[in-house]
Amino acid sequence: MLSNIIILGIIVSIIYYEFTEISPGGMIVPGYIALFLDEPLRVLITLTLSVVVMYIVNFLGEYAIIYGKRKFALMILVSFLLRYVFKEGLISMDFSIAGAAAIGYIVPGIAAQEMDRQGIIKTTSSILIAACIIKVLVFLIERIS
C-alpha cells in the first residue's frame, strides 16, 4: 500500500502542478502526508519543522553563500538533524505520545525547499490539498477493489 500511495502521490503532484503551477511540496511529500492524515499532530509537526528548517537555512544564508543544490542539501541535512534532536528529546523526556514525531527525516527538508521558493501558505495549502486528493483516491480505489 505504501508504494501505491507514493506512486499515486507522484501522479497527483504532477497533475496538481500542471493545473495550478504551484508545487505541492515536491513529488513525494503529498503522498507521505496522505499516509498520515489520520494523525494530524504528525502532519502539524512535520509542517512546522519544515518552516523552522527554512528559517534556519535562510538565517545561515545571511552569513554564508548558500544557493541551489547546496541550499537544498543543507535543508535536507538540517531537517534530518532537527528531526533526530526532536525525536531524542521526546524519548529523553519520557513522552510516549503516539504520533508526536515528524513524518520521515527528509520530508520536512523537501517541503522547506518548496516553502522557501514559493511561500509558506501557498506550499502548505497545496500539500494539504494534494494529500487530501490522494487520500480520497486511495479510499475510492480500495472501495472498488
Side-chain angles (χ1 to χ4, degrees):
M1 183 165 124
L2 172 67
S3 61
N4 293 340
I5 289 178
I6 299 304
I7 291 169
L8 187 59
I10 292 169
I11 293 167
V12 168
S13 294
I14 291 169
I15 293 170
Y16 185 91
Y17 180 79
E18 289 299 319
F19 279 103
T20 65
E21 294 186 12
I22 300 170
S23 172
M27 287 197 199
I28 65 165
V29 172
Y32 276 99
I33 296 292
L35 281 171
F36 295 97
L37 278 178
D38 55 339
E39 298 179 45
L41 182 60
R42 285 187 81 168
V43 173
L44 179 64
I45 290 171
T46 302
L47 295 174
T48 303
L49 191 59
S50 299
V51 173
V52 171
V53 166
M54 182 192 73
Y55 281 121
I56 288 173
V57 171
N58 285 338
F59 175 77
L60 294 173
E62 297 290 324
Y63 302 99
I65 300 171
I66 304 170
Y67 60 91
K69 291 180 183 178
R70 289 184 188 107
K71 189 171 192 176
F72 181 64
L74 187 59
M75 285 195 180
I76 298 296
L77 181 62
V78 170
S79 167
F80 184 86
L81 291 173
L82 285 179
R83 165 67 159 75
Y84 178 78
V85 167
F86 184 74
K87 182 180 176 187
E88 292 302 313
L90 287 177
I91 290 171
S92 68
M93 295 183 338
D94 289 330
F95 276 116
S96 59
I97 301 170
I103 299 168
Y105 283 92
I106 64 170
V107 169
I110 297 169
Q113 172 72 12
E114 294 300 319
M115 287 177 180
D116 184 53
R117 194 174 63 77
Q118 60 191 15
I120 295 169
I121 294 174
K122 198 180 276 190
T123 303
T124 302
S125 58
S126 295
I127 289 170
L128 294 174
I129 290 168
C132 289
I133 292 169
I134 294 164
K135 194 72 165 182
V136 167
L137 289 174
V138 167
F139 176 76
L140 292 174
I141 291 168
E142 287 177 351
R143 286 293 262 201
I144 292 170
S145 49

